[in-house]
Amino acid sequence: MEEKGFSMMILMLTDVLKEGTSCHYVQKFAKAEIELMAKGHDVINPCDIGGLYGNMLAYEHLLHIDYALIDCVDAIYMLKDWKDSKGAKLELNYAKCKGKEVLYEKK
């Protein structure tokens, strides 16, 4: 799907975190954020939210925050390994139910 120049997108989190991979996870989202901003998009990066509240809130609570963010944006941007993520699948389903545009990172 082609990007349509939305003013704001949310990058979807992946659940594929295993011990020792969190640095890679944050770097992957930061790279995607920079690339999308360079194309003129405003980007909400859920890593920023998880970094602030991840130690205080349960996974289910963080999903509620993600849902609220999806309500506020024009589109969501699915990173290429989203199919490996339970959370990304839930967020995708929520976004589709809300009629949000869904964009996919090219492989």
Side-chain angles (χ1 to χ4, degrees):
M1 185 170 283
E2 291 184 17
E3 296 178 26
K4 297 183 179 181
F6 290 106
S7 63
M8 188 175 288
M9 285 188 256
I10 185 170
L11 301 178
M12 304 308 294
L13 287 175
T14 60
D15 266 351
V16 202
L17 283 183
K18 295 178 182 167
E19 191 172 334
T21 62
S22 62
C23 183
H24 169 72
Y25 158 82
V26 171
Q27 289 175 346
K28 176 175 61 172
F29 279 86
K31 181 178 182 259
E33 180 179 15
I34 290 166
E35 289 172 0
L36 290 167
M37 289 174 69
K39 293 180 179 181
H41 299 291
D42 294 324
V43 178
I44 295 174
N45 183 341
C47 288
D48 297 335
I49 306 301
L52 290 173
Y53 303 109
N55 292 333
M56 293 186 291
L57 298 175
Y59 172 77
E60 294 78 17
H61 296 129
L62 291 171
L63 272 177
H64 285 288
I65 293 171
D66 290 345
Y67 294 154
L69 291 171
I70 291 169
D71 288 338
C72 298
V73 299
D74 299 308
I76 62 169
Y77 186 81
M78 306 299 292
L79 295 175
K80 58 186 163 191
D81 63 346
W82 69 270
K83 290 181 182 180
D84 297 329
S85 169
K86 175 185 171 186
K89 290 175 188 176
L90 291 169
E91 293 161 337
L92 175 62
N93 185 54
Y94 181 85
K96 286 181 175 181
C97 288
K98 293 291 187 167
K100 300 294 180 173
E101 185 75 27
V102 179
L103 306 172
Y104 297 90
E105 181 180 36
K106 294 177 183 169
K107 296 186 181 206

